[in-house]
Structure formats: structure tokens, C-alpha cells
Amino acid sequence: MKEIGIGVIGTAFMGKAHSIAYAAAGTVFGDGLRPRLEMLCDIDAERVRAKQAEMGFARATTDYRDVVADPAVELISICVPNAMHREIAVAALAAGKHVWCEKPMATSVAEAEAMLAAARGSDCQTLLGYNYTQNPLVRAARDLIDEGAIGRVIGFHGVYDVDNEADPERPFSWRMSREASGTGANADVMCHLVSMAHLMTGSEITRVVGDYDTVHRERRDPVDPARLRNVDNDDVCMALAHFASGIKGTLRVSRVAWGRKCGLRWEIHGAQGMICHDQERLNEIQLYTRSEDPRQQGFRTILSGQYHEPYAAFLPNAGHGLGFIDVKVCELRQLLRAIETGEPAWPAFADGIKIERVMDAIDRSALSGEWVDV
Amino acid sequence: MKEIGIGVIGTAFMGKAHSIAYAAAGTVFGDGLRPRLEMLCDIDAERVRAKQAEMGFARATTDYRDVVADPAVELISICVPNAMHREIAVAALAAGKHVWCEKPMATSVAEAEAMLAAARGSDCQTLLGYNYTQNPLVRAARDLIDEGAIGRVIGFHGVYDVDNEADPERPFSWRMSREASGTGANADVMCHLVSMAHLMTGSEITRVVGDYDTVHRERRDPVDPARLRNVDNDDVCMALAHFASGIKGTLRVSRVAWGRKCGLRWEIHGAQGMICHDQERLNEIQLYTRSEDPRQQGFRTILSGQYHEPYAAFLPNAGHGLGFIDVKVCELRQLLRAIETGEPAWPAFADGIKIERVMDAIDRSALSGEWVDV
Amino acid sequence: MKEIGIGVIGTAFMGKAHSIAYAAAGTVFGDGLRPRLEMLCDIDAERVRAKQAEMGFARATTDYRDVVADPAVELISICVPNAMHREIAVAALAAGKHVWCEKPMATSVAEAEAMLAAARGSDCQTLLGYNYTQNPLVRAARDLIDEGAIGRVIGFHGVYDVDNEADPERPFSWRMSREASGTGANADVMCHLVSMAHLMTGSEITRVVGDYDTVHRERRDPVDPARLRNVDNDDVCMALAHFASGIKGTLRVSRVAWGRKCGLRWEIHGAQGMICHDQERLNEIQLYTRSEDPRQQGFRTILSGQYHEPYAAFLPNAGHGLGFIDVKVCELRQLLRAIETGEPAWPAFADGIKIERVMDAIDRSALSGEWVDV
Amino acid sequence: MKEIGIGVIGTAFMGKAHSIAYAAAGTVFGDGLRPRLEMLCDIDAERVRAKQAEMGFARATTDYRDVVADPAVELISICVPNAMHREIAVAALAAGKHVWCEKPMATSVAEAEAMLAAARGSDCQTLLGYNYTQNPLVRAARDLIDEGAIGRVIGFHGVYDVDNEADPERPFSWRMSREASGTGANADVMCHLVSMAHLMTGSEITRVVGDYDTVHRERRDPVDPARLRNVDNDDVCMALAHFASGIKGTLRVSRVAWGRKCGLRWEIHGAQGMICHDQERLNEIQLYTRSEDPRQQGFRTILSGQYHEPYAAFLPNAGHGLGFIDVKVCELRQLLRAIETGEPAWPAFADGIKIERVMDAIDRSALSGEWVDV
């Protein structure tokens, strides 16, 4: 196996998930590039030293520029706050490093455009961390659609509900301020749903009408609980959408939906069937196809199995279950292959900017009250 | 038990369902008014004679005016095509008969207004057959919300998908022509969803932006299959909505959604919990409330039981299951009580017209591309 | 429609359910015999008069012999405690009346044999109220099996859990005494499961090893709560079983299983597939058959529909849902057809005695600790 | 972090799963012992060299004795066929190495006893790979039971169905011969179910009556398909069981159950509630506890979350989903802690032998037709 030198920037949840994926990939797939953990970066010197040892990196630094400049590093993971994505990605690509960047791509379309320009100006591969789209079962569903299992696609309808901010007693945070963090559920949650809409339809959203709701308009200041702070971005974001292919759909997300932990649920309607998925049951899809015998017709609950590529690299038999981190390994696999073959993975920066533009269009529509073009 | 004389106009599915409900009500409830089957009406003379015998009515007629004029008839069921609702309802109310009218209320807001005026000009009770809202479990959910089980209501999101017209090979019918039948899924399917939105939120939709999609735009003529006919009303109807109470929501319906047989699914989001329902599992609701111990938190699947009034009138123990027709009996119960007490049932004509106005507003918005007031 | 005169003995839950079914049958089916409610019987004079009016019977009595002797009565429902089944059934059959008798058949095999002898000595039809076996979807599953949908039947595994007596604080009742009521869960709950095992396998249990458990061994006296009473029959009853066809299976029932309201769940395993059912979702079955494409294989959730005879007599479209009482109407349909055609319905007395013998064998085995022949 | 030297014997599915777990553990947990991959062993020289590179081991060998003798190796994974477990485990323990051994423990009780003796004669820790018992959600359920969430445990009922051998056209293999592999489903599948029964009840099975069924009695020879071979071990294994604590239960497994991919489903019944689990939905448990308000009572679907230790080491938020391999990492965590603290993990060899004895007792009972003591 040929090796590839890895740098990871950021050591929180996503930095950790990327590092686990890098450590597993060689064993899981047994072919292709084998990641070699070169350098870990975090702005906290003490933390990065501790994590280097835990995670098994050869070197550590507090300055991302060290990673970018390191000749042994060939692929860089960007797992830091969104506001830093542009700067690091542009530097890494300029230095000829491949980039695996967490989602969303950036904090504005302009930033995303700068990142895309840097990617286009390089020979490097990029991949955005829209992990739910990398689930082997979701990709198998995509294949089945391509093969005609549900006929012509006629609609996409998706919801992504979480309850991160559902408790009205949760104190105010920077995430609840438009000035500090931009849109709310639109930025944080909608991007996942748009990525899924684009993947599953094989098309792109071109026109939307959106609406926002802020259901908990005041929250206590975290330091001075007697002081109420204004929440001025969206707890809930809803849109009607038109796609380039001519189909229509609906999108809805909420960060205040009690009981939904990772409630990304979508349906793709076809002229001859339907496929549905619920991320909280990530090892199942529901498939309805027409049946000769109406007495036997119904939605089929399909469990992840060895026939859903690359499940077999993890587990020999169906029903044993992949987890979030396994799917992160699948995601990495896409990027490693892109690096080997020169064929871009999905969603690369060129795909991610289309997601950013949809969120931007929803924002413009929600503020203006009009249908807008993406 | 005091009796009440019944006339039923229409002998298809709904006429039959009403007749079964009338025959069962006395035995099921054992108190209140006991229906006495007086007169059955159908325009087909042979059919109405046969059905009179099967269903146990005392008399039969082919002219609805005989039912309206019959002094023994006190309550009239209107189970005929929508275009006839206004004429019969107005006549029945003018004759001092109570009216149980199938949904939707009428084929236009103007007709519905005429019906409402007739009801207001009488001392009679009216009820519209929005049967899904009469499910004991749904009403119990409504009670739980009123008692604060999920806190302040913050959103309503509903879908009603069916596959009646999903097959692209189904021939053209009058239902697919705007001229012949008005809107498509909006009229046939959306009305149910709006009735549920109004019941569950205890509020009303006041503003919408809507969109239509006709996914199968040509269908074969039923007589001359070589001839393709244009479908010019909506297979799919979607809307974003604002409610009088200040909350927002989403509504989506389709008549071409493969695999959904009676796919009326809704969620009501609260500041402290959530309730969800799927009509295909009519004996279950999902309830999420906050838990002291996070290890134990989750959606509860609640089965219909004797504690969900009036389930106990049907079955002594939970989990045995009510069906569509039982819920129709519950619906009748509401009307019989309204007649006894003079307190209107829900949804009476005064409630139904608000549903009609929402569908009308969605139509105006879908055609104009703008947010419109209901 | 030809009419048939009906007598109902017993006015509690089952007497009521039978009466609702009789009142509905003509309207629902529109052909065959139309029940005419002749005489209602209850030992409580006041109650029977009230119920006669509510339920619409022509006459009432407190003596079942009046029903048996009434020339207008042709079919008698026996809805009284099990200990009275034999006496009434034998008298009714001797008088040439058809009999619809609630389950279980009797309180001993000897009583059941006397009932069977009476049936054999008459020209009358009999039917036992094993209502779960009359669900249109269950019968459709039976048809699918006969047609080979899951290949050769290779096993039956069933559970019936309820929580009627789950609360340890529920006071002692006669049901908890072997002397007063015989076996516990074996008599009350297992009979349903055995009826389902016999129907679905098309075979009969011939050999068992059984076990009992009494998990709440002392309960408070209902009158004197300070006094603890011994529970000496089974809360839980379990068995391994062999069938005449050569297959094997397992059976388990409990009356102390918290959360199960009507938890009759069974699986029938085939050489080419599997079918599963859960009575708490009576409008669904799960069907697994082999798939050409492993990526698409999974259990199908089939909703009750118009293609599951006689669903279409109730509702025109799938997914609207039948309830327990509708299934009781289906059950009646079987008996009315048997009366018309002379072809026995299932389970008639000749079938019911086989169910009784299995419960008796389980009891003998649980007491002896040995495998026993039925 | 202190390091621990690792040897892995076997490179098939389980050798691979162990290796992934070792590579991930340091990063996932960030404390405790950090595995260092020292030596990989496989009898195939070419394969072991390739796997060494893929998996990142320092050295490779074809002789397990090299691993046992290697001074840098402190912990050995035994991931080879069951018949080799005893020999390797005894050698490893004699050499002072800790042992992580895949299930089942051995091919006979006598072998298991030799392994246990070796463990007792050492200062080393052992752990058997009953991975389903290591699911954080299952362990949380165990904690909830200990805390009284469902009251006194009154019963355990479990099933483990798979369809590995469901296809009658699958050719004969050594697994289907009693001489070659001992019992069938009893050895391969039942051991998992017994491990779960012991964990969840906190007790042990002491007495059983068992039964076998071989439903596909002849299979084609893999080399000469015209030749039919006799299958003489169990496709299906069923038992009634008594536990040391006085409770009773049922166990059933099948290797020929179409549609079940990893169908390990169990229920633990309590005097005040119930908990259910289905391994095919490994991130969910069902919990029923008594409710003050009967209108709100139902089974709660609990999703794996950060409050189910050690989920938070993998993922920050509930609902994201652990997979089989993550659970393997949790399993390793138990062993690493045992090594650090000297407190045994569960199930160590002393626990595993109790599982073996139950399977042995079921075998004796199935052959003799009598209840037998474990």
C-alpha cells in the first residue's frame, strides 16, 4: 500500500472523527492509499501535545501554517470553526495539499467562491464533510434510482429536525445572533438537507421561497441570567424549491424540535416508487416499488449489508450496523480514491458552493418574502 | 333512549359509512339519541331499493327533496358529490333538519358561504365529515396539549400523501381537469390536512405561500387511449403557512406518492415536547416530553385505550384497535351531542369555511407566486 | 336479502360486540343473510330492558331458555362466562339453532366434547370467537402461504403478552385461583395463540413440553387488603411444540407483561420467506420473500387494503384501517356464509376442541415436567 | 498515555475488527492504555505480510507461538477458529499475556475449563468477544434495571434469528455436521443469546428443557451437487429456562430464518416495567415504565446518546449512531480498564464457561427429551 501523509487542523469532535478515520482506513479497505498521521494542529499548545500522543501523530503544532508548509503532509483536514475555512483552505491548496474540509463550506458565498477558485487553481482534490451523503445505504439508494428502481424522479421532500436549542431555558449563545454567526438553522442544519437533495435528485435547486421562524425570541444571558438577550436569527427555516431538472420539493429544518436527535428524514418520490430515509435509523432505507400482486405490496425496510458498497469492507454480514464514524471512513475513502485517480469525489468545492448558494437564496427570500433565483 | 329520525342522501362509500354508524351508535354508546333509519336516497331507483333493504331504512327515494320534506327525518347525511353539497344543505337547513355533510364543504368559498348563511339562519346543528380529526387518540392529544403536556405550541407540520393517481398509466379523469373539478390535490387532500392543522393548533391559518406541481402532465383518454389529454390541475400542493396565534408551519399533499395509502402524518412542535401522528397507524400517537433522566428520554408510542374518550364505548381494553368506521361513529357522537345540548360540534359549517378559505388562498398564491392573506 | 333471526345471550363487552356486528352486517356486505335482532338475554332484568332499547332488539328476557325456544331465533350468540358455554350451546343446538360462541370453548375438554357431540348431532353451524384469526390481512397471509409465497412452512413462533394483571398491587381475583378458574394465562391467553398457530400452519399441535410461572405469588384480598391471598395459577405459560405436519414451534403467553396491551405477535417461518404479525398493529403484516437483487431485500410492511377480502366491503381504499369490531363483522360473515352454504366456517366446534386439547396438554406437561402428547 | 503492546492472531473478519479497535482506542478515549500494534499472525505467509502493512503492525508471523513469546506483546487477540481457542489461550496465559478471545469460548465444556484454569493460574485479564453485550445502550439498560426502573426482574425472553443458512439451495458445509462442528445453531447463535440473558438478568440459567429442529435435512454436496448430504445438527434450537434468581424465560435461535440479518431480540420483564432490544436497531431500546396518566403511557424509543457511557467518547450528540465496530471499541475499553485496575471485565473466562454450560445442557436436554440441570 502506498502511503499518504496527513495533517489535521482542529482537535474537537470533527478533528477526532477525522483522526479515527485516518487510523482505520488502511485496515478497513486494505488497498488504495494508507494514511500516515504526520502533524496535528490546535491553537492550544497543551491540548495539542496531549492529543498528539493519544491520536498517534508524529508531530504537533499550534500554527496551521506549519501543517500547510510541512513537506510530509499531502492531505489536510480542516476541522476548525467555519470562519477559518477560507483562509486555511486557500493556503493549503496553494501549497499543493489536498483538502478535506468540514461543512458548511464557509460563512458566505464570497468566501466559498474564493475557496473554489483556489481549488480550480490547483491540481488538488477537495471534499466537504457532508457525511450523511456518504452512507453506503444512501449511495446504494442513489444507484437504485439511477437504475430506474423508482422510475423518473418527481419530487424531493426533506426535514432535518434537532433539539439542540429546544430548551427555552438554554442561555443565549453567539449562534443565536445574526451578527455573530449569520443565519441560524439555515446555516447549521439546512446545508445537510440541501446536500442530500442535490445528491438524491442528481439535480440542483434553482429557485426557492423561504420563511424563518424564531420561536424562542429571548434567552437569558449566560453570564447575567437576569438579562434577556434578543435571538435574531432563525430557529426554524422552511422553503419550497424548484430544481434544475424541473421537479419541485420542500425543505424544512429546526434546531428547536424536541425529541429529534438527528432527525434528517427525506423522501424521494418517483413515477414508479418511493425511497425514504431517516438518519436516526441510518442502517435502514424504505423502498416502495410497484408489485404485481397488490396483496403483497408495501414499503420494504432494507438493512445495510455487504451488497451496499463499501459495507463489506467493514462487516461481512448485513444487519450488524455501521455507525457515524464508519460513514466518516467511507467519506475518506471517496477522497483517497479521488486523489489516486484524479476523478473528483462528491461533494467537492465545486459542488459545495451550489449548496451555499441555496442557503443564501433561502435567506434572501425569507427576508424579502419573494421567490428568488439561486 | 330518545330516538332521532335519519335520512341519508347518497349510497356510495360515505353513504354506507354513515349508515353503519347510525346503526351502531345506540349500541355503542347506550345513551343520548338513538338513530332511527327513516329514508335513504339515491338517484338510481334500482340501487336505492336494494340498498334500502340491505341497510334497513324504512323508506327510499330517488329525490333528495323527499328526504328534506319528510317530517320523520330530523338529521340528514349529505354523501353525494361536492357540487351538490350547497343545494342540499341549504334546503335541509331551511327545512329545519340537522346536517352531517361530507368533506370538503363545497366546491367554492362562495358556496360554502351560502351554506354557512343557511346554518346561521336555522336552529340546526351541522358537522363536516373531517373524520381524522375525530379519532379519540387525536382528541386526547388535543387535550394533552391544552393541559400543557408539550408546552406552548410553536409549530405545525403536516403531510398527506396518497397514491390514488400515482400510476402514470391511469387514464385521464374529470378529477384531473381544473375546469371540471377545480384544484386537484389541493381540493381533495389538502382539506384534511388543514382541518388537522386547525384542530391541533387551536388556531387558524391566516397567510400562505403555495406552490403546485403537475408531475404527470399527460394521460391517456379513458375511451381512446391513443389520445393524450392534458392534466391541468395539481398532483402535488405545497405551502408555507402563518397562523393567527403567531406560529408558522408547513403543509404538503400529493395524490401521486407511491406507497402512501392514507399517509396523513403531522407533527405538532411545542416548547416542551412534541406529538406526532400517522393516520396509517391510527391507533398510535408519538409523544415526546422532557425527561428528568436523559438516559430514559424518547418518543413514547401510545396505543389507543379506554382512557382515550370514547374508546371505552367500543372496547374495554387498550390495544384492540379502532378502525375508520369506529371513528365515523365517534364523529356521529359529536353531532348527536350537539343536537342534544345545542353546543356546536367541531368542525361545524362555521369552522369548515375557514378550511375552504385556506385552500382558496393556497390556490391564489400558487397561481400568483406571492404570499397571500387567507 | 334473506333475513335470519338473532338471539344474543350476554350483554357485556362481547354481547355488545356481537350486537354491533349483527346491526352492521347487512349494510357492510349487501348480500347474504341479513340479521334481524330478535331477542336479547341477560340475567339482570333491568339491564336487559335498557340494553334491548339501546341495541334495538325486538324482545328481551332474563332466561336463556326463552331464546333457545323462540321460533323466530335461528342463530344464537353465547357471550356469557365460560362455565355456561356447554349448557347453552348444547340446548341451542338441540333446538336447531346455529351457535356463535365466544372463546375459549369451555372450561374443560370434557365440556368441549359434549358441545362437539351436540353440534355433530345437529344440522347446525357453529363458530368460536377467535376473532384475531378472522382479520382479513391474516387470512390473506394464510392464502399467500397456501400459494407458496414463503415456500414450505418450517416453523411457527408466537407470543401473546398482555398487562391486565401486571400491577402487583392489583388485588386477588377468582381468575388467580386454580380452583375457581382453572389455569391462568394458559386458559385466558394461550387459546388465542393456539388458534393462530393452527390456522397459520394449516396443521395441529400434537406434542408439547410446557412450563408455568407465577411471578406475583401473593396478592391482597380485595375486601380485606391486610390479608394476603395465594395466587396458584399461571401468570406466564410457555411451551415448545411439535405439529402434525412435522414442524416445530414455540408458544409463550403472559398476563403480567407491562406495556403489552394486546401483544399477540407471531412469525411463520418458511423455506423461502417469512410472515410476521403484531395484533397491536392489526392493519399491518410483515412479509419477507427472496429478492433477485440483494440490495433491495427487506421485510415489506403491507397495509390492509381492498385486495384483502373482505376489506373492500368496509372501505374502498387501503390504509384507512379496520378495527377490532370490523373484524368481528368479518367473523360473523364467515358464520352467515356457513349457514347459507352448509360448508363449516373455521374454527367450528370440531376445530375448537383441538385448541382445548393443546391447552390441556400444556397443563399436564407443566405439572409433570415431561413432554406429553396432545 | 501509557502504551500496551498488542498481538493479533487471525486476520479474517474478527482479526480485522480487533485491529481497527486497537487503532482507534487511544484517539476515542484519550486516556487509559494506548494500544501499540506489535505483531500480527496468520498461517498464510503471503496474507500476513500484506495485512501487516495494511493494518500497521510492526511485525508479522505465521506461528502463533511467536506472538505468545514476544516480550513486547502484552495483550493477545485470539481471532481464529474455535477449535484453536484452548491451545492459544492456555499458551498466552502461561506466558503472562492478557487475552481477548472471540466467542464462543471453546468447542466443549472441557476445553473451556482448561482455559479457565489457565486464567486462574495467571495474573492476567481475559475477555470474551460477546460484543452485543458491550453496546453502551445495553449497558445503560442494565444500569436502569439495577436502579429499579422496571422493578424486580420477572422474566427474560430472547430470540436470535439469522438467515445465513436459510436458503435450501446452499450447499452442505462442515457447519452442518455434528461430527465436524458439534451443534449447529446452538453453538453458533445461542451463545450470544445466553450471554445477553446472563447480563440482563444479573443471574444464570440453571435448568433447561431444549429442543432441536433440522428443517433442511439434506443439502447438495458443494463439489458434487448430484450427491445429497445429511444435515445432522440443529438449524433451530429452542429452550425453556429457569434462572438461579428464581425467574423463568425462553430462548430460541435459528440459522434458517429468512429476512433476519442479525435478529437478536430480547425482552426483560419487570414487576414495574419492561425493556426490549433489537440488535438490528442497535441504537434503540424500548422502555416501558408505569405512567401516572394512562393517556400518556407507552413504550419509549430511546436513542443512543452521550448520556449512555461511553457514547460521548465517540460522538457528542445523541442520534448519530454507533456501529458494530464502535461497540467492539467499547469492548476493548472494558478489557483495557480491567488490565489497568485488576478488576475483571465481563464476560471473562469465568463468566464464559457458564454460557458454555448452558449450551451443553440444552444439547443434553434436546437429545434426551428431559429437563436437565446446567
Side-chain angles (χ1 to χ4, degrees), chain B residues 81-364:
Chain B
N82 305 338
M84 290 294 294
H85 286 189
R86 186 197 53 75
E87 178 181 332
I88 299 175
V90 169
L93 289 162
K97 314 299 189 190
H98 305 289
V99 171
W100 188 11
C101 181
E102 272 309 311
K103 51 62 50 184
M105 192 169 170
T107 57
S108 71
V109 171
E111 283 185 353
E113 278 168 351
M115 292 166 74
L116 177 57
R120 288 203 166 132
S122 79
D123 291 327
C124 299
Q125 298 295 332
T126 59
L127 186 66
L128 290 158
Y130 286 105
N131 49 294
Y132 305 130
T133 68
Q134 303 288 356
N135 183 341
L137 203 45
V138 168
R139 293 285 170 128
R142 177 66 254 166
D143 290 345
L144 289 170
I145 294 167
D146 287 342
E147 295 164 21
I150 60 166
R152 178 172 62 93
V153 168
I154 61 170
F156 176 90
H157 303 286
V159 174
Y160 193 0
D161 279 346
V162 297
D163 65 3
N164 302 359
E165 315 288 356
D167 188 347
E169 295 307 311
R170 270 177 65 96
F172 184 82
S173 86
W174 61 273
R175 290 179 178 278
M176 296 161 187
S177 155
R178 189 166 175 109
E179 191 181 346
S181 82
T183 64
N186 188 12
D188 285 350
V189 193
M190 183 63 89
C191 62
H192 279 292
L193 190 51
V194 175
S195 72
M196 199 61 83
H198 284 184
L199 175 69
M200 296 312 295
T201 62
S203 180
E204 292 155 31
I205 295 171
T206 54
R207 191 164 163 77
V208 294
V209 64
D211 198 18
Y212 284 150
D213 198 12
T214 305
V215 301
H216 302 304
R217 298 195 182 185
E218 289 186 321
R219 297 204 181 239
R220 294 179 193 286
D221 187 272
V223 178
D224 173 10
R227 183 181 160 215
L228 288 177
R229 304 281 300 269
N230 242 26
V231 177
D232 68 354
N233 64 13
D234 49 304
D235 287 331
V236 182
C237 173
M238 303 157 269
L240 311 180
H242 295 183
F243 289 73
S245 63
I247 67 165
K248 298 185 177 182
T250 55
L251 307 169
R252 177 172 65 77
V253 303
S254 171
R255 66 185 180 191
V256 294
W258 272 113
R260 301 300 183 201
K261 304 306 176 190
C262 193
L264 172 58
R265 291 164 289 147
W266 50 264
E267 301 179 352
I268 186 153
H269 294 219
Q272 306 293 339
M274 193 192 290
I275 296 179
C276 309
H277 184 65
D278 178 349
Q279 180 64 25
E280 290 180 350
R281 288 181 173 166
L282 71 94
N283 288 288
E284 298 180 15
I285 54 170
Q286 302 285 327
L287 168 66
Y288 185 94
T289 55
R290 303 174 63 180
S291 173
E292 293 293 303
D293 179 355
R295 297 172 307 164
Q296 299 190 39
Q297 71 195 2
F299 276 91
R300 242 172 285 167
T301 301
I302 302 171
L303 288 174
S304 290
Q306 61 273 31
Y307 18 81
H308 301 122
E309 165 71 21
Y311 180 100
F314 296 86
L315 297 165
N317 292 313
H320 283 66
L322 299 181
F324 179 95
I325 290 173
D326 298 320
V327 177
K328 214 67 194 167
V329 178
C330 295
E331 186 180 317
L332 170 59
R333 169 71 151 180
Q334 297 285 329
L335 178 55
L336 294 176
R337 277 202 176 154
I339 292 168
E340 274 191 294
T341 65
E343 286 297 313
W346 192 95
F349 282 6
D351 309 300
I353 200 165
K354 293 172 182 171
I355 300 170
E356 300 293 320
R357 283 177 183 142
V358 173
M359 296 181 290
D360 180 65
I362 291 172
D363 187 52
R364 285 183 287 124

Side-chain angles (χ1 to χ4, degrees), chain A residues 197-198 201-207 242-246 351 354 358 374:
Chain A
H198 285 184
T201 62
S203 180
E204 293 156 31
I205 295 171
T206 53
R207 192 166 163 75
H242 296 182
F243 289 72
S245 64
D351 310 298
K354 293 173 182 170
V358 173
V374 172

Side-chain angles (χ1 to χ4, degrees), chain A residues 39-56:
Chain A
M39 191 181 292
L40 184 67
C41 174
D42 193 286
I43 50 173
D44 179 329
E46 195 173 341
R47 178 178 170 89
V48 79
R49 264 194 313 273
K51 292 290 167 191
Q52 176 200 351
E54 290 169 26
M55 296 180 173

